[in-house]
Amino acid sequence: MVHETLAATNAVVTLDVALPEVFWGWYVTMNMWAKSIGTGLVFMLFLLLRRNPEEMKGLRTSAMIVSFVMMNVFLLFTLADLHQPFRMWHIFFYPHLTSAITVGAWMASIFVGLESLMIVVMLFKKDTVTYDKLLFWTTLLAIPVTLYTAGIMAEATARELWQMPTEAVQMILAATLSGSAAMILLGGNKLSDETKSFFANILGLSALMAFIIYMSEYIFGAMKAEEVAAILHYVKGEGEYATMFWIGQWVAYILPMILVALYRVSRSSAMLNLAAILAIVGLWVVKHVWLVIPQLLPLS
Amino acid sequence: MQLGFLVDLHLCMGCKGCEIACKVENEVPLSTWRLRVKYVDVGTFPETKRTFTPLRCNHCENAPCERICPVSALHYIENGIVNIDKERCIGCAGCVMACPYGAIYIDPETQTADKCTYCAHRIASSMMPACVVACPVEANIFGDLEDPTSNISKYIQQHRDVQVRKPEKGTNPHHFYVGASQVHLNPLASKREEGYSLFNNITHLPLGGHH
């Protein structure tokens, strides 16, 4: 690794005005976080429909509205992060289809359109049959809508830490984690113990798998490439983002895992609700750290 | 025709003439650079030397910025240049995130992406890029990579140590260096320590980002 020659060369940059450090900041974190909840809720609604359709009563409209709101938060922050937000329409009129940003924007727009339709169907017609049919197609579309951000990160070739397929798996796990957490909170007493337990399992397993991936990257990532090693220094030891990284891991994954395990023994709804809240809050922190640290590395 | 650049680092003396010429020619705003010369000091006093590396867009054959641009604001032109249409750019900064060379910036005046275009407007008028004209030692060699009789092709043929930055990225840059060491080309081969920069407390114009 080239940084090991530093002791010999004692090379120090004495003049280079590189790019300002962080270009994609917390607006993009909000984007990813809100989208995870938005699509995650759709996944959970679909699972609930397949597993226990009678428990969908009362959740069809409310869960879809929450998902719709989160998707709009996601779109709002996407728009606000643009340096030329009034040119957003260019994506639709001058689309460049090799770009995951373009494909994602198109898919997310159709997705939100479908969600609007489902809300209208429920609010004005109370037509559960049409709703349930539409839910299948919306769920199908939710998969690429969840994944396309991973595509953007993979296309951001300058940021070595963001790799496919790891990011794709992390995006899906973020959706199942936050979706199950949101469903637990929304469902409350409307959900049977069996269904709650089902969502609790999804929450706990999502947290476990996501945690395993982060830890694998944390421990073994440095062996892949010197850039990854340099980036991971920001979350190790005295690294600038080490504290925030571990706060995220504990709040999003470790504590929810423990609380879900305790819930399975005690059946305490309060414990499960706390796990759900922590997972949703912690996910923001985890996403933010992973978004920012590769941007701290000098490219020139 | 596939235009390319080659910098002979044996010749470059870090005068920054290219940098200034680029700024003037392209009206590059304060605190941003299409081309900049990086200084790295190597060794321990009194055995020290300073290296100079001009850094600009590499006009990659497989350009990540072109691929990620959602509106084709970054696009290839027939001569291989990766050009930018600032009127079309939406300022998503995807290209900034994709470029492995840190060659793209957001112009604080237009709030759109910008970078070196090999002075595409000058080339269209059969003129050399401004930095080539300004270089007092002809360290910048510019020409058609597909023409074996061009200066750049001959230079590549005659020199063994022709390198590109970050070849592992698979971008196939159209920008080459002769006489480069790891210190010149690899950002991780040198330290960036506070207090060692010749310019300190540099003021960046506001970009409107959300850090």
Side-chain angles (χ1 to χ4, degrees):
Chain A
M1 289 202 181
V2 75
H3 69 266
E4 285 157 0
T5 64
L6 272 172
T9 61
N10 194 26
V12 180
V13 176
T14 45
L15 185 60
D16 180 29
V17 186
L19 295 169
E21 286 178 348
V22 177
F23 258 91
W24 281 353
W26 69 272
Y27 272 37
V28 178
T29 310
M30 280 299 294
N31 159 320
M32 292 192 288
W33 176 79
K35 180 158 70 76
S36 296
I37 301 171
T39 58
L41 265 172
V42 169
F43 290 139
M44 295 309 129
L45 268 177
F46 182 74
L47 288 176
L48 185 60
L49 179 69
R50 293 283 144 188
R51 193 179 165 83
N52 216 345
E54 59 273 21
E55 287 187 46
M56 288 285 280
K57 200 177 174 187
L59 278 175
R60 280 187 178 89
T61 312
S62 60
M64 194 51 71
I65 286 173
V66 173
S67 170
F68 178 78
V69 168
M70 295 315 288
M71 289 307 291
N72 279 282
V73 169
F74 145 70
L75 290 175
L76 181 70
F77 277 90
T78 306
L79 187 68
D81 194 57
L82 298 182
H83 291 268
Q84 286 285 357
F86 294 113
R87 292 186 190 170
M88 179 68 181
W89 60 273
H90 287 191
I91 283 193
F92 301 101
F93 286 87
Y94 306 114
H96 186 215
L97 296 175
T98 64
S99 170
I101 300 173
T102 311
V103 177
W106 279 79
M107 287 189 306
S109 302
I110 297 168
F111 182 79
V112 172
L114 276 173
E115 287 199 324
S116 314
L117 189 61
M118 290 168 78
I119 292 168
V120 169
V121 160
M122 277 310 290
L123 282 181
F124 298 105
K125 294 191 173 177
K126 309 239 180 285
D127 182 355
T128 55
V129 178
T130 309
Y131 179 99
D132 293 348
K133 278 181 188 165
L134 282 170
L135 183 59
F136 172 77
W137 296 107
T138 311
T139 307
L140 214 57
L141 189 57
I143 298 168
V145 170
T146 305
L147 292 177
Y148 91 84
T149 311
I152 297 173
M153 295 174 100
E155 284 190 338
T157 40
R159 319 296 160 173
E160 194 66 50
L161 189 69
W162 303 337
Q163 297 268 357
M164 273 289 200
T166 315
E167 286 301 325
V169 178
Q170 284 291 21
M171 291 291 166
I172 285 288
L173 290 175
T176 52
L177 178 94
S178 57
S180 56
M183 194 57 119
I184 287 164
L185 295 172
L186 271 173
N189 293 332
K190 290 176 204 154
L191 298 176
S192 64
D193 284 348
E194 184 204 349
T195 305
K196 264 190 189 177
S197 186
F198 173 67
F199 286 129
N201 289 346
I202 293 177
L203 175 62
L205 285 172
S206 302
L208 174 66
M209 286 188 281
F211 181 66
I212 288 171
I213 293 174
Y214 276 114
M215 285 304 104
S216 306
E217 199 73 69
Y218 187 83
I219 296 163
F220 299 104
M223 298 170 195
K224 284 190 297 194
E226 60 189 11
E227 284 181 20
V228 175
I231 293 165
L232 289 173
H233 272 298
Y234 294 112
V235 290
K236 287 183 175 177
E238 300 291 309
E240 206 177 320
Y241 280 83
T243 308
M244 199 172 179
F245 174 78
W246 282 111
I247 287 173
Q249 297 297 317
W250 272 93
V251 176
Y253 305 134
I254 301 171
L255 289 176
M257 272 190 281
I258 295 169
L259 288 167
V260 166
L262 291 175
Y263 162 78
R264 290 180 62 81
V265 178
S266 68
R267 296 285 152 190
S268 157
S269 290
M271 217 168 263
L272 188 58
N273 289 344
L274 181 62
I277 291 166
L278 288 175
I280 289 173
V281 172
L283 184 66
W284 193 97
V285 182
V286 167
K287 287 278 177 199
H288 187 66
V289 172
W290 218 245
L291 176 76
V292 166
I293 53 171
Q295 299 179 57
L296 302 177
L297 199 67
L299 299 173
S300 57
Chain B
M1 179 184 280
Q2 287 294 302
L3 294 172
F5 235 105
L6 184 146
V7 183
D8 189 339
L9 296 172
H10 295 117
L11 299 175
C12 180
M13 55 185 186
C15 72
K16 290 180 171 279
C18 52
E19 203 175 290
I20 305 301
C22 172
K23 275 254 186 193
V24 173
E25 175 66 31
N26 297 295
E27 297 179 347
V28 181
L30 285 172
S31 82
T32 50
W33 289 264
R34 286 188 177 196
L35 158 64
R36 60 185 205 274
V37 182
K38 181 175 77 163
Y39 290 9
V40 181
D41 289 6
V42 182
T44 308
F45 183 81
E47 299 296 322
T48 55
K49 64 174 181 179
R50 178 164 288 166
T51 69
F52 310 108
T53 318
L55 303 166
R56 56 168 79 75
C57 170
N58 285 217
H59 294 268
C60 308
E61 191 181 315
N62 180 24
C65 59
E66 190 274 343
R67 187 167 53 235
I68 203 172
C69 179
V71 293
S72 297
L74 283 148
H75 57 278
Y76 295 107
I77 50 182
E78 281 178 3
N79 55 18
I81 288 175
V82 180
N83 209 354
I84 183 157
D85 180 349
K86 294 179 81 167
E87 294 300 314
R88 189 176 282 191
C89 176
I90 61 171
C92 67
C95 53
V96 178
M97 304 304 287
C99 176
Y101 310 106
I104 306 177
Y105 58 91
I106 298 292
D107 183 328
E109 288 180 354
T110 61
Q111 295 293 324
T112 56
D114 203 4
K115 66 174 198 67
C116 160
T117 61
Y118 280 173
C119 284
H121 59 291
R122 287 175 63 92
I123 290 162
S125 308
S126 302
M127 290 190 286
M128 279 286 181
C131 55
V132 176
V133 177
C135 182
V137 292
E138 297 185 6
N140 287 308
I141 293 124
F142 180 72
D144 183 5
L145 292 165
E146 289 184 341
D147 175 7
T149 63
S150 67
N151 277 350
I152 189 168
S153 295
K154 285 181 187 167
Y155 225 94
I156 292 171
Q157 288 160 25
Q158 289 162 7
H159 289 80
R160 284 183 181 179
D161 58 340
V162 180
Q163 295 184 68
V164 294
R165 292 166 71 193
K166 303 182 184 177
E168 72 280 3
K169 296 283 183 186
T171 54
N172 303 341
H174 280 180
H175 191 288
F176 306 89
Y177 292 92
V178 164
S181 66
Q182 283 291 306
V183 167
H184 289 94
L185 301 186
N186 189 334
L188 297 178
S190 49
K191 291 177 274 188
R192 287 171 187 262
E193 291 182 345
E194 217 146 297
Y196 280 79
S197 181
L198 296 175
F199 294 162
N200 288 305
N201 299 323
I202 294 163
T203 305
H204 288 279
L205 296 181
L207 284 180
H210 309 283
H211 307 167

